[in-house]
Amino acid sequence: MFTSLQVPSQCSEVHYEVELGVVISTGGKNIPESSALSHVGGYTLALDMTARDIQSAAKKKGYPWSVAKGYDTFCPVSSFIEKDKIVLDDCRLWLKVDGETKQDGSTKNMIYSVPFLISYISGIFTLEPGDVIITGTPEGVGPVKPGQTLTAGIEGVLEMTFPVVSA
Amino acid sequence: MFTSLQVPSQCSEVHYEVELGVVISTGGKNIPESSALSHVGGYTLALDMTARDIQSAAKKKGYPWSVAKGYDTFCPVSSFIEKDKIVLDDCRLWLKVDGETKQDGSTKNMIYSVPFLISYISGIFTLEPGDVIITGTPEGVGPVKPGQTLTAGIEGVLEMTFPVVSA
C-alpha cells in the first residue's frame, strides 16, 4: 500500500496520464461490443504513470516497454466507483499539478470506446472478474517532479491527491 | 485451467521458448545479488510461448509487445519444484516437438544469472512472495502448429507435455 507517487532514481522523466479505469465484473472471451457493457461492474480513476525516458529508449531499440510503466507506485487507482455514477458518453477527467490544470478531457473524445476495448482485449485473452482496463489519456501529459502534488478527478464523482516523492 | 496449448487464429507464427522459472518466497526491493538466492522458494518449468509475427510487427512500430506473450495458455508452468532439486550452476532444460529435440541447453550458459535477475528486477519494483521470474531460453526456438505435441523437461527432475490445438 503506497500513499505517495515515487519518481525512481533511474528515471529522468516521469509523466502523468490520467485515465478512466473499467472494472470487469463478469469475465469472458471474444465478447461482442454489443454486450460488452454488461461485463462492467464499475469504474476507477487511474494515473498511468510512465517513465518516458525509459519508454523512449525501449521503443527505439524495439524492446518491450513494460518496465517503463512498472515501477512501484506507477498506477495508483481511486476507490471503486459504482457503474451508474459514470456517464460513459461524456465523463470529464482532469489532472492538476500543484493546483494548475494540465489535463482536462472527456470520454466523448476517446479514440477507442469502452465497448470496443473490452471486445478487442477479450479477443486476445480471457477477461476475469476484477480485471481493470485503463483506457488512454487526454492531451496534456507531462513531467512531474518530487515535491509537487498531483490531483486528479472525475467531475462530480471523486478526486484523489498524491504527493510526489523521490525513491 | 488449461491443459492444452492454443495457437490463436490471429497469429501466423507461435514459437515455443522453454525457460526456468524462479519462484519468489520472500519479497523485497533493491535486493543485492549476494543475498538474492535467499529470496527463492523454488522453481518451475515454463514455456514462454510467443506470437512471433505479432511481436515482430510491434517491434517495428515501437509498440509494446505484451500482447504477443499474452494470449490464453501462453505461459504454462509445471508443478512447483523444491529448491534443493535444482543445481543452478548446471541445470539442463530441453524441449521436444513430436518427440524431436528442438532445444537442449544448460543454465550454465545463461546470459543473466538468477541472482542478477532478482537484483535487477527488484531495483525496478518490489518483488512479492509467489512472483515467478522466467529467465530466458536456450537456442533452438521455433514454430509450433496445431496437432503437434510439445514436451519439455528439466533433466532428472520432471517433464510436462501439452497437445497443441487451434483456438
Side-chain angles (χ1 to χ4, degrees):
Chain A
M1 183 69 186
F2 297 98
T3 55
S4 55
L5 269 169
Q6 297 175 6
V7 172
S9 57
Q10 302 103 311
C11 307
S12 62
E13 195 176 1
V14 173
H15 280 199
Y16 48 78
E17 299 183 3
V18 66
E19 307 197 7
L20 182 68
V22 178
V23 183
I24 298 296
S25 55
T26 310
K29 185 86 196 276
N30 295 320
I31 299 169
E33 283 191 53
S34 56
S35 59
L37 292 180
S38 70
H39 292 258
V40 175
Y43 297 92
T44 188
L45 179 63
L47 292 181
D48 177 18
M49 304 304 292
T50 304
R52 199 69 74 197
D53 54 328
I54 307 284
Q55 184 193 38
S56 299
K59 278 185 180 185
K60 273 185 201 154
K61 293 181 182 172
Y63 286 177
W65 306 354
S66 313
V67 158
K69 293 177 180 276
Y71 290 85
D72 281 343
T73 77
F74 263 32
C75 193
V77 300
S78 72
S79 54
F80 179 79
I81 301 166
E82 290 172 35
K83 190 173 179 178
D84 61 8
K85 294 259 174 72
I86 298 292
V87 179
L88 262 191
D89 290 342
D90 190 7
C91 167
R92 189 176 151 227
L93 306 176
W94 55 265
L95 179 138
K96 297 178 185 184
V97 177
D98 288 342
E100 185 184 338
T101 299
K102 300 288 190 179
Q103 294 191 276
D104 188 356
S106 166
T107 53
K108 73 181 176 195
N109 295 317
M110 281 176 132
I111 299 171
Y112 299 113
S113 72
V114 171
F116 172 84
L117 290 171
I118 291 170
S119 180
Y120 176 78
I121 294 168
S122 72
I124 295 171
F125 52 78
T126 302
L127 286 171
E128 304 284 354
D131 280 349
V132 175
I133 299 171
I134 57 175
T135 56
T137 194
E139 62 182 341
V141 301
V144 71
K145 300 283 180 198
Q148 293 183 319
T149 300
L150 280 189
T151 308
I154 299 179
E155 189 183 19
V157 177
L158 61 70
E159 63 178 68
M160 60 183 183
T161 297
F162 295 96
V164 181
V165 301
S166 47
Chain B
M1 184 69 186
F2 297 98
T3 55
S4 56
L5 269 170
Q6 297 175 6
V7 171
S9 57
Q10 303 104 309
C11 307
S12 63
E13 194 175 1
V14 172
H15 280 199
Y16 48 78
E17 299 183 2
V18 66
E19 307 198 6
L20 182 68
V22 178
V23 183
I24 298 296
S25 54
T26 310
K29 186 86 196 279
N30 295 320
I31 298 169
E33 283 190 53
S34 57
S35 59
L37 291 180
S38 70
H39 293 258
V40 175
Y43 297 91
T44 188
L45 179 62
L47 292 180
D48 178 19
M49 304 304 293
T50 304
R52 199 70 73 196
D53 54 328
I54 306 284
Q55 184 193 36
S56 298
K59 278 186 180 186
K60 272 185 201 154
K61 293 181 182 172
Y63 286 177
W65 306 354
S66 313
V67 158
K69 292 177 180 275
Y71 290 85
D72 282 344
T73 77
F74 263 31
C75 193
V77 299
S78 72
S79 54
F80 178 78
I81 301 167
E82 290 172 38
K83 190 173 178 179
D84 61 8
K85 295 262 175 71
I86 298 293
V87 179
L88 260 191
D89 290 342
D90 190 7
C91 167
R92 189 175 151 227
L93 306 175
W94 55 266
L95 179 137
K96 297 178 185 185
V97 177
D98 289 343
E100 184 184 339
T101 298
K102 299 289 190 180
Q103 295 191 276
D104 187 356
S106 165
T107 53
K108 73 180 175 194
N109 295 317
M110 282 176 129
I111 299 171
Y112 298 114
S113 71
V114 170
F116 173 84
L117 290 170
I118 291 171
S119 180
Y120 177 77
I121 295 168
S122 72
I124 295 171
F125 52 77
T126 301
L127 285 172
E128 303 284 355
D131 280 349
V132 176
I133 300 171
I134 57 174
T135 56
T137 194
E139 62 183 340
V141 302
V144 71
K145 301 284 181 197
Q148 293 182 320
T149 299
L150 280 189
T151 309
I154 299 179
E155 189 184 18
V157 178
L158 60 69
E159 62 178 68
M160 59 183 185
T161 297
F162 295 96
V164 181
V165 300
S166 46

